[in-house]
Amino acid sequence: MQEQPTGAQVEAAVEAFRMLSDATRLRLMWLLTTGEFDVGSLAVAVGAARPSVSQHLAKLRLAGLVQTRRDGRRVLYRARDAHVRALIGEALYHADHEVSGIPRHD
């Protein structure tokens, strides 16, 4: 039998899922799994206002899902690590099975 996660681990996971429960944030995270983007590019890609995207990114950063890097005057955002990229990918692959009728697999 596998050991139970600690309370801190469960709380961190709950917070990550809470952050991903917003459609705009999930769309942003999908983009950020593919590379680095600035706020303006992300706003255009998801069709949202720049200030709104900025607020979403700040929340994602505080939750530990996003990291930043300065490039001159621009701030570039990306998914924090391979675990976050895998989480986003698996969530959306699962959703694809739900909406497309593709048979499930293990």
Side-chain angles (χ1 to χ4, degrees), residues 1-7 9-10:
M1 181 179 235
Q2 193 172 16
E3 190 174 318
Q4 292 281 332
T6 66
Q9 290 169 321
V10 169

Side-chain angles (χ1 to χ4, degrees), residues 7-21:
Q9 290 169 321
V10 169
E11 286 305 311
V14 165
E15 182 60 20
F17 284 121
R18 184 177 294 122
M19 286 296 109
L20 297 174
S21 69

Side-chain angles (χ1 to χ4, degrees), residues 22-63:
D22 178 90
T24 300
R25 286 195 290 265
L26 187 55
R27 288 178 190 281
L28 290 169
M29 287 305 303
W30 175 254
L31 289 168
L32 295 173
T33 65
T34 66
E36 294 181 313
F37 297 88
D38 62 19
V39 175
S41 300
L42 290 167
V44 169
V46 300
R50 232 180 125 104
S52 173
V53 169
S54 224
Q55 289 177 357
H56 285 301
L57 289 168
K59 290 178 181 180
L60 291 166
R61 188 173 180 203
L62 283 174

Side-chain angles (χ1 to χ4, degrees), residues 33 66 72 87 91 105:
T33 65
V66 167
L87 176 66
H105 52 85

Side-chain angles (χ1 to χ4, degrees), residues 64-82:
L65 299 172
V66 167
Q67 65 182 31
T68 61
R69 175 178 76 81
R70 278 215 170 271
D71 180 29
R73 296 176 67 151
R74 294 184 323 150
V75 176
L76 299 174
Y77 294 83
R78 68 178 175 177
R80 180 163 204 122
D81 56 33

Side-chain angles (χ1 to χ4, degrees), residues 88-106:
I88 300 304
E90 289 301 321
L92 289 168
Y93 297 142
H94 168 74
D96 189 35
H97 284 275
E98 288 293 314
V99 300
S100 70
I102 296 171
R104 299 184 182 285
H105 52 85
D106 282 335

